Amino acid sequence: MRTKIVAGNWKMHKNAEETEDLLNDLIDKLPNDVEARVIVAPTFVNLSSAVEHLQFTNIGVAAQNMHQSEAGAFTGEISADMLKSIGVNIVILGHSERRAYFHETDALLAEKVNTALKHELEVIFCFGEELKDRQSEQHFNLVENQLKDALFHLEAKDWKNIILAYEPVWAIGTGETASPEQAQEMHKFIRETIASKFGADVADNVSILYGGSVKPENAKEIFSKPDVDGGLIGGAALKAVDFSAIVAGV
Ligand code: PGA
């Protein structure tokens, strides 16, 4: 049985005080009767306090990024060991904003994934096509290549620590959402692609999240699709009432 997961990517939002406020609000509002893992990803500087704040809850804490090297002269960067040392066990890698603004490639992401897995971090691996790829009907090819280039070097056993997040770039922060049918079509394709390389067991067990303008109004229908195992939420994760409603829809 696959795990349902709803993760909130807070991006570069919320200072220390606002982080505490939102966490308190989430503890208050998140439904207790949902069988889904809930994860939040505040900024690096607020990860420690989030871990401490959430220690007696079921809410997991993820970092939004991580460097591929163990340590070294990489000003401004954060290592896997640093994350683990403060109790962070999950990291988001390959978000489209990292790819677009910080030039992260699938080759680089393959290195980051290796480092994360070596340190027993769980990886939420993001990928997805841009609008031009969908318009030119290259979206399946593109997604397949992203998976091949970043993850196909792994072994079947590594997949217990991988969560996939399909996020069509044209739907992120735009208010445009993939229709539930478009999401299902792609998630099914992703699962088949994983099955072709790693076997049905790995493919059946990997959680594939959808991300891109998920809101309380559309979450339930998207999450009802058989190959959609939850969501990676940006904007709507910044309000406890909205995020809680999305979690309730899973
Ligand atoms: P959005 O962001 O929900 O604001 O579209 C999703 C994401 O970037 O993961």
Side-chain angles (χ1 to χ4, degrees):
M1 254 299 272
R2 295 194 282 278
T3 316
K4 299 260 184 194
I5 301 168
V6 182
N9 174 10
W10 294 10
K11 308 192 180 181
M12 198 173 74
H13 294 287
K14 307 287 179 191
N15 65 23
E17 198 183 328
E18 291 161 349
T19 297
E20 291 215 353
D21 288 348
L22 179 51
L23 292 175
N24 284 337
D25 221 5
L26 283 172
I27 291 168
D28 202 39
K29 294 198 172 60
L30 277 169
N32 297 319
D33 53 347
V34 180
E35 280 190 30
R37 282 178 70 191
V38 176
I39 298 169
V40 292
T43 60
F44 282 129
V45 292
N46 294 315
L47 286 175
S48 258
S49 74
V51 168
E52 201 174 313
H53 218 86
L54 297 173
Q55 61 182 324
F56 301 116
T57 73
N58 294 327
I59 307 170
V61 177
Q64 297 175 18
N65 180 33
M66 184 204 86
H67 197 269
Q68 65 276 17
S69 299
E70 293 295 331
F74 300 107
T75 301
E77 291 291 331
I78 307 279
S79 73
D81 176 57
M82 291 169 191
L83 295 177
K84 290 290 289 195
S85 73
I86 58 163
V88 171
N89 298 312
I90 313 166
V91 62
I92 298 174
L93 294 177
H95 191 279
S96 67
E97 287 148 19
R98 298 294 318 169
R99 293 172 185 263
Y101 307 140
F102 303 95
H103 314 295
E104 295 197 4
T105 61
D106 286 307
L108 172 78
L109 291 167
E111 286 183 50
K112 290 195 177 199
V113 168
N114 289 345
T115 306
L117 294 181
K118 184 173 157 208
H119 287 267
E120 295 184 344
L121 281 152
E122 202 175 2
V123 172
I124 301 177
F125 182 80
C126 306
F127 57 104
E129 82 283 0
E130 293 178 37
L131 187 58
K132 65 174 170 38
D133 306 314
R134 191 163 272 268
Q135 283 169 339
S136 59
E137 295 180 7
Q138 288 303 308
H139 46 301
F140 291 113
N141 280 342
L142 190 114
V143 160
E144 187 175 353
N145 286 336
Q146 287 175 321
L147 291 171
K148 282 187 173 158
D149 293 347
L151 299 177
F152 266 30
H153 65 284
L154 296 178
E155 292 176 37
K157 68 171 173 42
D158 296 325
W159 281 81
K160 67 178 191 309
N161 281 327
I162 303 279
I163 298 163
L164 297 177
Y166 167 62
E167 300 204 303
V169 180
W170 48 271
I172 296 181
T174 57
E176 287 261 348
T177 323
S179 67
E181 292 70 30
Q182 283 173 321
Q184 169 56 25
E185 183 187 36
M186 185 57 93
H187 282 225
K188 185 164 177 283
F189 173 76
I190 292 164
R191 208 176 296 287
E192 285 166 359
T193 305
I194 301 299
S196 72
K197 170 74 181 172
F198 296 100
D201 205 36
V202 167
D204 285 345
N205 283 298
V206 66
S207 298
I208 309 178
L209 316 185
Y210 169 80
S213 299
V214 177
K215 305 179 215 45
E217 304 82 61
N218 59 23
K220 203 172 172 142
E221 206 189 339
I222 297 174
F223 295 163
S224 72
K225 294 294 173 190
D227 285 294
V228 179
D229 306 311
L232 180 56
I233 319 301
L238 298 173
K239 280 200 193 139
V241 59
D242 287 353
F243 190 65
S244 302
I246 290 170
V247 171
V250 80

